[in-house]
Amino acid sequence: YQRRVHGVYQRKRRLRFPMATKEGSFSVEDMKNVQINIGAVVKEADEWDQEMGPVPKPGVATLRPWDHILANRYKIMYAPADDTCTLCTYGPCDLTGNKRGACGIDQAGACGKIVLIACLMGCCAHAAHGRHLYHWCVDKFGDMKFDMGNEILVDSPIYQTIMGTKPRTFKDFNEGLFYLEEQVVQLLAATHTGQEGAFIDFESKALHAGRLDLLGMEICDMLQIVAYDMPRGAADAPIIEIGMGTLDQSKGVLIAYGHNLAAGAEAMLYAESNNLWDKVDIGGVCCTAHDLNRIGTGTGELRVPKNIGTKPKVAGAMGWWRKMIRSGIMDCVMVDEQCVFCDVLGDAEKRKIPVIATTDKIMLGLPDRTNDSVDAIVDDLVNFKVPGVAVLDPVKAGEIGIRVAIAVKPKRAEAKAQSLITEAQFKEGIAKCTQCNECAFVCPPHIRISKLIAEAVKGNNQEFSNFYEICVGCGRCEQSCPQGINILDLFEYANRQYVKNQKFKMRSGRGPARDTEIRAVGAPIVLGTIPGIIALVGCSNYPNGTKECYDIAKEFVDRGYIVVTSGCMAMDMSLYTDADGKTIWEQYPGGLDGRNILNTGSCVSNANIGDAAIKIATIFAHRNHRGNFDDIADYILSKVGACGVAWGAYSQKAASIATGCNSLGIPVVVQPHSVMYRRTFMGRTDKPEDWMVIDARDGKMQQIEPAPEALLYIAETKEEAMLEMAKLCFRPSDNSIGRGIKLTHYCDISMKYFGKLPDDWHIFVRDVKDLPLVYKEDMMKTLESKFGWKIDWKAKKILSGPLRPADVSFDPTNLARKIRTKK
């Protein structure tokens, strides 16, 4: 056994402070004035078939060389929202041109600092979620064995890759959380005035924050999957109904809103143990909905009632919230953490809907009643003595939520009726409109609300229905209306019956990829015969995002890509159906394979996307992933055709998730609103020196095609996004069959949406076998006439012109230590 001192995470740092040491067996009986601190006692040789890699528990600067490799190839381009820095009281400082702020920072440095702060905010949201879940699960269930089942033996790939250890029980995750928390403090310290000033090192630190975010998300999901017996890679996860119409309005309706399942799960357990399901319906909003729906539906150790997750409903995504509360469908709401609208209390109070804040992240100015009696709190809420309370004990909050929803329902009937506008009030509202179009100027989806009102004046309310799903419910229109028209109320009135019947179909969250799935798809993905993995994440709520995320998913799953999604994105694409009335989840299977679409679960389940990429490297390619992050990221960047897309409002969590994917070698396409975070990672195809890699077979340098061409790309339209996503799945390791498949899709998408072949298709041609069959003859003529390539027309061969020949054994790497030495 060895003694590990808590807080010392790297072997190189263990001797930072000299201390007396003594090895072997010894007695402390006669020792005086000696303090012995023992952290974790671990086995010297653990049972693992991989040696420890070179970078376990990397510090802030440990992976800086890898970060700089990425930043030097993918040039960081900033588009600042303004030219001043206002982060301290020296400012505001004008940073235009070559000017520097009072602290000496330049424009690029100021932009890099904002990026790091945004990524830290997102990372901290998931890390704090993980810390809360850790304490809650250990307190409630004890130190459970961490067991993902017989089909998932590589059970925590991100944890193992970053930490270099395997968690065996819940308490083992504490080491990962301590490490994460220490690193976040170090990173945040770098943002203080007079600390870091170089943009490239702010970006390196942001990439580190992204890595930490991947770790935090994985810890969250692993803990809740095992503790609450959620599915472990269930390709056959059930198709379920979602939507506001799934909630039984004859019962008291309790909504659990946010991302932390603890209080919502306790409400379910209280309803179950007291036989109250005939009196109450529980609905989840945002990612809490995904997680409540999965409880007790797995195949592991059962500490909760079997299949209890089939009883709560998935009410909808975060973007649906304001429509839900305006409809008055809920009788009580519990909020936990993340993605909760800040005006939830005001909106609820207007409709006499009691609010219970269940975590210290969101307390809404409410009194902390955690230590008060349940009966007293219920009495105050049911009789509207207070609009809400904070109750930080999930067990108590769950009981209060159920009891209040049941008891307050009849008392809310009059308030609910008063909160819903009448036909006369609807007509009065639309009559006020002067067609000034102030509302259209601030509407994120650019809805011409004045046109909808003009049609309604004629007696046609259908236009309000046509734009109901496009409206994101932000309320900016109401704030800007000089006539004071409650425009969201007009939407609610025109769609009241639709809301009552709103039901869609979605596949329930399946959890991570099984090892057997990885073995089956590893070679096709690396060689390119499965053209790529497309991961749609985030909130698709800007502008027209819900329909566009469906269109993107449908385009790629139809083409044989593996499509993965999660969170609100999975819910939003459920709104649309094909000609047969089937949602995308009913049209395709849910396995990890081409022409499949997977719902991996809630936001923290996004870690499963990174997990799958790592598992391709370690299971298929037999790469050592233990404490070996840059090696695995190098493999993914060079060989795993994957691309993420965050198509909607780009929250701080989305920023950290995307940056974590970038650090792992996965490119991401984002929607125009993402420019507010001020940067992209774009490759320069006109700079051959940026595309030099090492051939690990012999150590020689080789110029490659720009594959992938970018790490973070901002697309203006969904069509541009799809074209870029297809291109970003190219990898230097593609064989000719795979490259031909990828090039076919790239060209087809360009022809379909832009009416021409992409301008740069020839860059990705290495051999005549790479050419898409449908365009082959014309492409060969173009290569000869336009680009000067030499063609042997008789043999149908390319004699000269390509950047490099197709070579299936080519082993590209960016790390010199990967060069294979001769024995």
Side-chain angles (χ1 to χ4, degrees):
Y1 291 84
Q2 69 179 29
R3 291 179 173 86
R4 260 189 208 163
V5 180
H6 165 65
V8 181
Y9 291 115
Q10 297 176 71
R11 284 172 288 181
K12 292 180 180 179
R13 296 167 59 196
R14 285 179 181 159
L15 298 179
R16 176 182 293 178
F17 303 105
M19 62 171 61
T21 62
K22 189 173 181 179
E23 297 182 356
S25 300
F26 58 95
S27 173
V28 297
E29 183 177 355
D30 298 322
M31 298 176 70
K32 297 180 180 180
N33 300 321
V34 174
Q35 178 177 327
I36 299 175
N37 296 316
I38 299 177
V41 179
V42 298
K43 289 184 179 180
E44 190 69 56
D46 56 8
E47 299 173 3
W48 200 346
D49 60 356
Q50 292 188 11
E51 294 182 359
M52 181 66 78
V55 287
K57 303 173 189 171
V60 171
T62 306
L63 290 170
R64 183 172 180 256
W66 171 249
D67 300 335
H68 282 208
I69 287 172
L70 295 177
N72 288 328
R73 176 182 293 178
Y74 300 103
K75 307 304 182 187
I76 301 160
M77 300 183 185
Y78 293 116
D82 61 59
D83 295 318
T84 61
C85 178
T86 58
L87 286 178
C88 77
T89 55
Y90 285 111
C93 294
D94 180 5
L95 300 179
T96 55
N98 295 319
K99 296 176 185 175
R100 289 180 176 268
C103 70
I105 202 166
D106 61 9
Q107 181 70 276
C111 290
K113 181 183 287 193
I114 293 295
V115 169
L116 174 56
I117 291 171
C119 289
L120 282 171
M121 292 168 74
C123 173
C124 287
H126 290 135
H129 182 185
R131 173 56 76 185
H132 181 273
L133 268 181
Y134 170 80
H135 287 309
W136 171 246
C137 290
V138 170
D139 289 346
K140 183 174 180 64
F141 301 108
D143 189 19
M144 290 182 68
K145 178 183 178 182
F146 175 57
D147 182 8
M148 291 296 289
N150 295 331
E151 293 192 78
I152 302 180
L153 301 181
V154 183
D155 51 20
S156 51
I158 292 172
Y159 194 99
Q160 296 170 22
T161 301
I162 293 177
M163 298 294 295
T165 57
K166 279 186 178 182
R168 307 292 186 182
T169 69
F170 277 7
K171 287 189 176 179
D172 290 342
F173 284 105
N174 199 34
E175 182 184 13
L177 288 166
F178 271 129
Y179 160 77
L180 197 168
E181 290 155 355
E182 185 206 27
Q183 294 300 304
V184 164
V185 170
Q186 299 294 335
L187 290 172
L188 186 58
T191 66
H192 191 278
T193 301
Q195 296 268 51
E196 184 62 76
F199 79 91
I200 194 168
D201 280 311
F202 273 126
E203 292 292 351
S204 173
K205 291 173 172 64
L207 289 165
H208 191 50
R211 287 187 283 270
L212 298 173
D213 191 35
L214 293 175
L215 177 62
M217 288 191 294
E218 186 185 69
I219 290 173
C220 286
D221 209 30
M222 298 298 102
L223 286 170
Q224 66 183 16
I225 284 174
V226 174
Y228 287 94
D229 190 30
M230 296 178 180
R232 295 153 165 84
D236 59 348
I239 299 290
I240 60 172
E241 279 193 329
I242 74 168
M244 290 177 270
T246 63
L247 298 168
D248 188 344
Q249 293 293 292
S250 68
K251 304 176 183 178
V253 174
L254 172 65
I255 292 292
Y257 176 18
H259 284 69
N260 191 324
L261 84 167
E266 289 304 315
M268 291 164 55
L269 296 174
Y270 183 81
E272 182 76 10
S273 61
N274 290 277
N275 298 313
L276 294 174
W277 288 108
D278 61 333
K279 297 179 180 179
V280 69
D281 223 356
I282 300 175
V285 174
C286 208
C287 285
T288 297
H290 280 291
D291 291 335
L292 297 184
N293 176 256
R294 299 192 286 164
I295 295 176
T297 61
T299 56
E301 183 180 355
L302 202 60
R303 300 288 186 93
V304 294
K306 183 67 176 174
N307 290 324
I308 191 173
T310 61
K311 296 184 178 182
K313 309 294 175 53
V314 177
M318 172 198 177
W320 308 6
W321 171 254
R322 286 199 171 98
K323 301 171 188 177
M324 290 183 194
I325 200 160
R326 295 275 178 141
S327 70
I329 62 171
M330 66 200 74
D331 298 298
C332 180
V333 57
M334 297 193 309
V335 298
D336 44 80
E337 59 179 298
Q338 302 172 40
C339 299
V340 174
F341 282 105
C342 297
D343 56 358
V344 58
L345 180 62
D347 275 345
E349 188 175 5
K350 291 176 185 176
R351 295 159 182 85
K352 291 190 178 298
I353 300 171
V355 174
I356 306 168
T358 65
T359 72
D360 53 12
K361 320 293 196 312
I362 302 174
M363 296 186 72
L364 302 171
L366 295 169
D368 185 354
R369 302 283 297 275
T370 304
N371 296 321
D372 291 357
S373 75
V374 170
D375 289 342
I377 297 171
V378 170
D379 182 72
D380 285 351
L381 292 175
V382 170
N383 291 299
F384 309 118
K385 297 177 183 177
V386 292
V389 295
V391 178
L392 306 184
D393 176 353
V395 175
K396 184 178 286 188
E399 178 183 349
I400 293 168
I402 293 292
R403 289 177 57 181
V404 168
I406 294 171
V408 82
K409 185 173 188 65
K411 295 193 173 190
R412 278 198 62 249
E414 182 179 350
K416 180 178 179 180
Q418 291 176 351
S419 69
L420 300 177
I421 65 172
T422 63
E423 181 180 3
Q425 290 171 320
F426 177 80
K427 290 181 177 180
E428 180 183 348
I430 61 177
K432 293 180 181 178
C433 180
T434 62
Q435 299 289 309
C436 69
N437 287 318
E438 288 291 328
C439 51
F441 292 129
V442 298
C443 178
H446 313 301
I447 301 172
R448 292 291 298 275
I449 299 168
S450 59
K451 288 188 175 181
L452 277 57
I453 292 176
E455 287 297 312
V457 169
K458 300 174 186 176
N460 175 23
N461 293 344
Q462 185 58 42
E463 286 297 289
F464 273 105
S465 297
N466 293 342
F467 284 88
Y468 184 67
E469 298 299 350
I470 296 173
C471 169
V472 299
C474 67
R476 293 180 190 177
C477 53
E478 294 184 343
Q479 296 175 28
S480 67
C481 179
Q483 302 302 314
I485 302 172
N486 293 321
I487 296 170
L488 292 184
D489 287 344
L490 303 183
F491 270 103
E492 185 280 323
Y493 174 84
N495 293 280
R496 193 168 294 169
Q497 193 59 40
Y498 168 77
V499 168
K500 289 181 180 179
N501 299 319
Q502 186 198 49
K503 293 181 181 180
F504 312 101
K505 296 288 183 68
M506 179 188 76
R507 189 177 298 281
S508 182
R510 54 156 283 160
R514 303 190 309 276
D515 295 0
T516 49
E517 291 177 305
I518 296 295
R519 291 189 183 95
V521 302
I525 290 172
V526 170
L527 297 177
T529 51
I530 290 178
I533 302 172
I534 300 295
L536 294 100
V537 302
C539 305
S540 54
N541 54 1
Y542 277 79
N544 303 325
T546 54
K547 179 61 166 63
E548 291 186 349
C549 77
Y550 168 84
D551 292 338
I552 292 170
K554 187 79 166 66
E555 183 75 44
F556 283 99
V557 73
D558 273 342
R559 291 179 176 276
Y561 290 73
I562 299 171
V563 176
V564 186
T565 187
S566 63
C568 290
M569 187 75 77
M571 299 184 208
D572 285 334
M573 66 177 62
S574 305
L575 298 174
Y576 305 97
T577 58
D578 64 5
D580 297 324
K582 293 183 177 181
T583 65
I584 197 166
W585 305 104
E586 297 171 285
Q587 298 170 43
Y588 304 97
L592 187 77
D593 202 352
R595 206 173 168 78
N596 277 237
I597 180 167
L598 296 68
N599 173 12
T600 188
S602 60
C603 271
V604 294
S605 304
N606 283 320
N608 295 327
I609 299 168
D611 283 352
I614 293 171
K615 288 169 80 167
I616 290 171
T618 192
I619 293 176
F620 164 70
H622 304 291
R623 286 288 181 104
N624 181 356
H625 67 287
R626 183 183 186 184
N628 207 10
F629 187 93
D630 54 347
D631 187 349
I632 295 300
D634 177 65
Y635 181 89
I636 293 169
L637 179 67
S638 300
K639 299 189 177 184
V640 179
C643 179
V645 58
W647 201 245
Y650 199 49
S651 70
Q652 294 92 344
K653 290 197 307 174
S656 60
I657 292 170
T659 306
C661 288
N662 293 159
S663 75
L664 198 55
I666 301 173
V668 177
V669 175
V670 295
Q671 195 255 8
H673 281 77
S674 308
V675 78
M676 297 305 291
Y677 283 121
R678 299 180 168 91
R679 69 93 147 84
T680 61
F681 287 114
M682 299 292 291
R684 290 283 301 272
T685 59
D686 60 329
K687 291 185 173 291
E689 63 271 21
D690 291 349
W691 303 99
M692 300 300 293
V693 300
I694 303 167
D695 188 339
R697 295 175 298 182
D698 53 19
K700 293 181 180 178
M701 300 301 292
Q702 170 66 55
Q703 184 184 348
I704 59 170
E705 59 276 24
E709 186 183 65
L711 269 188
L712 187 66
Y713 182 94
I714 298 175
E716 292 295 324
T717 65
K718 71 171 183 182
E719 292 81 12
E720 180 188 355
M722 289 188 285
L723 184 64
E724 190 66 22
M725 289 158 66
K727 180 162 66 170
L728 292 180
C729 286
F730 287 112
R731 293 296 181 274
S733 62
D734 297 338
N735 68 10
S736 289
I737 297 174
R739 180 58 62 86
I741 292 171
K742 292 183 180 183
L743 197 53
T744 297
H745 292 304
Y746 181 45
C747 292
D748 279 351
I749 291 173
S750 185
M751 290 295 293
K752 179 177 180 179
Y753 294 108
F754 299 97
K756 66 182 185 69
L757 291 174
D759 296 333
D760 59 354
W761 62 265
H762 62 286
I763 295 175
F764 302 100
V765 177
R766 305 160 304 178
D767 185 270
V768 71
K769 295 177 182 177
D770 292 348
L771 296 172
L773 291 177
V774 67
Y775 307 116
K776 185 174 180 179
E777 290 295 325
D778 289 339
M779 282 182 163
M780 290 178 70
K781 293 176 183 177
T782 301
L783 290 172
E784 184 178 56
S785 62
K786 184 175 180 179
F787 300 108
W789 291 24
K790 292 184 179 180
I791 308 292
D792 182 339
W793 287 100
K794 186 175 181 180
K796 298 290 184 182
K797 288 184 178 180
I798 297 173
L799 301 178
S800 67
L803 184 66
R804 66 182 182 92
D807 182 357
V808 73
S809 66
F810 177 51
D811 192 5
T813 181
N814 297 280
L815 304 176
R817 72 173 190 265
K818 297 306 297 178
I819 299 172
R820 296 196 286 274
T821 56
K822 294 182 179 180
K823 295 183 180 179

